[in-house]
């Protein structure tokens, strides 16, 4: 199978970040990448139902005009991130995300649970043989009476923790390919958009919001 021209974006847990290295690629050969998953998708600059601005602990995009707004559609594997304040199609990134053979979103390695998340600022890990970037995700409490977000390392009601965005690698027939590194690299585009986002919640800085939908 020919190598696909776009890179892969994974949503996973920090445990994967800490164990990956330059000689140990992530093996996703049980799940093929979708093709053209984001065709015609421009993302959102407002909070989708059921995560309305009025019910968001941080006020949603409406109260944070400089935040990035990302929408991940789990069914189509499409992630679109764009600046809240941008009415046109500038400062926007679209990525087809790698799926997983774990379908239960309460399990480690499963898809991101449906929710509103705060997206942290850029973090990185540097070792002798690698440089690794990621963004922490902070899920909103499921209990509407708890108007706040889980800490990155805090377990949610279903037991998930350490959720984040990072660049991964893909396999075709278990023969691993590296992600694209040219100007069409969607991870670099996504990082560029996320790094433009700016919002504050409880005296901490974030890049913006992520909304996970089943579409």
């Amino acid at each position: 199978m020919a190598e696909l021209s776009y890179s892969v974006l994974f949503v996973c847990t920090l445990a994967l970040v800490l164990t990956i290295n330059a000689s140990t690629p992530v093996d996703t050969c049980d799940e093929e990448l979708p093709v053209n998953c984001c065709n015609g998708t421009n993302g959102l600059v407002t909070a989708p139902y059921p995560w309305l601005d009025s019910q968001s602990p941080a006020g949603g995009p409406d109260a944070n005009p400089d935040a990035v707004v990302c929408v991940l559609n789990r069914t189509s594997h499409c992630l679109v991130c764009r600046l809240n304040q941008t009415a046109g199609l500038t400062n926007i990134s679209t990525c087809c995300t790698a799926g997983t053979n774990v379908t239960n979103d309460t399990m480690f390695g499963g898809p991101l649970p449906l929710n509103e998340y705060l997206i942290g600022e850029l973090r990185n890990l540097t070792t002798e043989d690698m440089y690794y970037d990621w963004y922490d995700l902070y899920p909103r409490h499921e209990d509407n009476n708890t108007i706040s977000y889980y800490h990155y390392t805090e377990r949610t009601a279903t037991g998930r923790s350490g959720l984040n965005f990072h660049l991964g690698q893909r396999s075709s027939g278990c023969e691993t390919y590296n992600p694209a590194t040219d100007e069409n690299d969607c991870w670099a585009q996504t990082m560029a958009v996320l790094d433009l986002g700016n919002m504050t919640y409880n005296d901490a800085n974030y890049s913006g919001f992520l909304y996970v939908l089943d579409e």
Side-chain angles (χ1 to χ4, degrees):
M1 182 178 295
E3 180 179 354
L4 299 181
S5 62
Y6 49 78
S7 62
V8 183
L9 187 67
F10 276 107
V11 280
C12 71
T13 65
L14 184 57
L16 181 58
V17 174
L18 294 178
T19 57
I20 189 172
N21 59 51
S23 61
T24 308
V26 178
D27 186 357
T28 60
C29 67
D30 290 333
E31 180 76 15
E32 289 295 327
L33 278 174
V35 177
N36 299 325
C37 74
C38 290
N39 273 1
T41 303
N42 294 327
L44 299 172
V45 293
T46 58
Y49 180 82
W51 298 285
L52 304 178
D53 287 317
S54 60
Q55 300 172 2
S56 169
D62 186 55
N64 298 275
D66 295 325
V68 169
V69 181
C70 295
V71 178
L72 172 65
N73 295 313
R74 299 196 310 183
T75 302
S76 64
H77 299 286
C78 175
L79 174 74
V80 182
C81 295
R82 58 186 296 173
L83 285 181
N84 176 20
Q85 61 192 3
T86 305
L89 298 182
T90 58
N91 296 325
I92 180 172
S93 68
T94 59
C95 278
C96 293
T97 63
T100 173
N101 56 358
V102 179
T103 59
N104 186 342
D105 66 12
T106 69
M107 301 295 292
F108 178 86
L112 275 179
L114 306 176
N115 207 343
E116 172 194 280
Y117 298 79
L118 294 183
I119 305 172
E121 295 185 307
L122 175 66
R123 298 182 63 192
N124 57 70
L125 173 69
T126 302
T127 68
E128 292 182 356
D129 58 357
M130 67 170 287
Y131 181 86
Y132 200 75
D133 302 306
W134 76 93
Y135 297 82
D136 295 342
L137 298 176
Y138 302 82
R140 177 180 170 179
H141 271 273
E142 300 91 343
D143 183 357
N144 289 331
N145 294 320
T146 305
I147 311 301
S148 64
Y149 300 88
Y150 287 99
H151 187 270
Y152 175 67
T153 58
E154 183 181 2
R155 290 186 179 275
T156 66
T158 59
R160 298 293 294 275
S161 66
L163 300 169
N164 59 51
F165 281 149
H166 74 91
L167 176 66
Q169 294 174 312
R170 73 175 294 268
S171 295
S172 176
C174 294
E175 182 178 349
T176 302
Y177 292 104
N178 292 325
T181 56
D182 58 20
E183 65 275 10
N184 295 319
D185 184 353
C186 70
W187 173 239
Q189 296 171 11
T190 298
M191 288 180 62
V193 173
L194 289 174
D195 290 344
L196 289 173
N198 180 37
M199 61 169 286
T200 302
Y201 173 70
N202 283 354
D203 298 322
N205 295 324
Y206 299 89
S207 297
F209 297 90
L210 167 70
Y211 297 97
V212 181
L213 309 175
D214 259 342
E215 295 181 3

